[in-house]
Amino acid sequence: QVQLVESGGGLVQSGGSLTLSCVVSGIVFFDNDMRNVMRWYRTTPGNSREVVADITGDDHTTYVDSVKGRFTISRDNAKNTLYLQMHSLRPEDAGIYYCNVERDHVNYWGQGTQVTVSS
């Protein structure tokens, strides 16, 4: 059974930083394993879910324009963990952040972690 467990959300002041983690069980990741893509999504008040960042098996990363230069997605295959480092947080970054793994075209989701940014 595949499980994704996020952590690291919380309340932070505008300009602050948070690091989200997502521990994946039930899937084993290897370096240069092109069978999977890992993503962070978020849902914000009044907006639909959007992809914030993703990372492929060969560590190619992409970001939504609004977070470029502020957020960094990374993975540690030895720990089966996905990370999202968030710096210079803005009130519009607040929302629920979800970890997603697409493996062999099947999507798995975490339960989400709340990020709140005070102005």
Side-chain angles (χ1 to χ4, degrees), residues 2-3 16 19 33 38-39 41 43 46 55 58-60 63 66 70 80-81 93 100 113-114:
V2 178
Q3 288 189 317
T19 296
D33 181 358
M38 302 181 79
R39 302 179 180 94
Y41 284 81
T43 58
I55 183 167
D58 59 353
D59 289 337
H60 177 73
Y63 299 90
S66 61
R70 301 188 298 121
N80 259 34
T81 302
D93 293 319
N100 165 266
T113 185
Q114 178 75 49

Side-chain angles (χ1 to χ4, degrees), residues 2-117:
V2 178
Q3 288 189 317
L4 284 65
V5 179
E6 300 106 331
S7 61
L11 172 63
V12 64
Q13 288 188 331
S14 181
S17 300
L18 285 174
T19 296
L20 307 183
S21 300
C22 173
V23 178
V24 183
S25 59
I27 298 175
V28 178
F29 297 109
F30 303 94
D31 292 343
N32 296 309
D33 181 358
M34 299 306 294
R35 296 171 59 188
N36 69 83
V37 180
M38 302 181 79
R39 302 179 180 94
W40 286 99
Y41 284 81
R42 69 183 176 192
T43 58
T44 57
N47 294 310
S48 59
R49 186 175 59 190
E50 66 172 350
V51 177
V52 176
D54 62 44
I55 183 167
T56 62
D58 59 353
D59 289 337
H60 177 73
T61 59
T62 58
Y63 299 90
V64 67
D65 285 346
S66 61
V67 308
K68 285 180 180 177
R70 301 188 298 121
F71 290 12
T72 302
I73 187 171
S74 62
R75 57 195 293 166
D76 185 333
N77 289 339
K79 296 181 179 180
N80 259 34
T81 302
L82 177 70
Y83 301 98
L84 185 67
Q85 295 177 294
M86 306 185 293
H87 300 289
S88 302
L89 282 161
R90 306 167 180 168
E92 57 264 36
D93 293 319
I96 301 174
Y97 284 69
Y98 297 90
C99 174
N100 165 266
V101 173
E102 180 185 341
R103 172 80 163 185
D104 293 333
H105 307 295
V106 177
N107 279 284
Y108 303 94
W109 295 90
Q111 80 288 352
T113 185
Q114 178 75 49
V115 172
T116 304
V117 184

